[in-house]
Amino acid sequence: MTLVGITAEFLVNSIHGMTEAGDIRKEFVGVILLPIVGNAAEHATAVTVSVKDKLTLSLSVAVGSSIQIALFVIPFIVTLAWIIGKPLTLLFDPYESVSLFLAVLTVNYVVQDGKSNWLEGLILMCLYVILALTFWFYPGA
């Protein structure tokens, strides 16, 4: 656990230098790279259990992690920032809000019936690639 914390600290400290020195935008790092790296353990667990044909557990790991972040971690961090006097709001850019809404709508469509097939997986992967490309070229606020 300590190794994960140290690695996360190095990752967070390197974001500023990476976005200032290169062509990578902060929005791309925050929406695409950090979720991949930060949730690697959940991704590995979801893939492992889905290979063992336990789709319900795989979906609950993947979607449950997202729900936990959305309903607990983000409001907690905003409240903590308010307590210590740091400016942090839940005010998202309109494009980010629309992207989040469409992603939630698509995932809801896919997991609604409790079954999955290759086409639904392809739809989700294509959505992720489309969002990654748009956030790569998105100029930000």
Side-chain angles (χ1 to χ4, degrees), residues 14-120:
S14 67
I15 290 173
H16 181 69
M18 182 174 61
T19 56
E20 293 296 322
D23 293 332
I24 300 177
R25 294 183 170 81
K26 289 182 182 178
E27 288 83 6
F28 180 80
V29 172
V31 173
I32 304 300
L33 292 182
L34 281 180
I36 289 175
V37 174
N39 295 332
E42 283 109 358
H43 297 166
T45 302
V47 169
T48 302
V49 296
S50 66
V51 166
K52 295 178 182 176
D53 203 24
K54 297 179 181 178
L55 185 62
T56 306
L57 180 58
S58 176
L59 285 173
S60 65
V61 167
V63 176
S65 173
S66 301
I67 291 171
Q68 181 183 13
I69 295 295
L71 294 180
F72 176 71
V73 175
I74 293 175
F76 176 74
I77 289 176
V78 169
T79 306
L80 185 64
W82 173 69
I83 290 170
I84 63 174
K86 299 282 184 182
L88 181 64
T89 65
L90 289 176
L91 181 62
F92 293 109
D93 188 74
Y95 176 71
E96 294 167 351
S97 299
V98 169
S99 298
L100 180 65
F101 175 74
L102 291 176
V104 168
L105 197 68
T106 306
V107 170
N108 184 36
Y109 168 74
V110 168
V111 301
Q112 185 173 348
D113 59 356
K115 300 182 224 170
S116 183
N117 56 44
W118 66 270
L119 184 59
E120 290 177 339

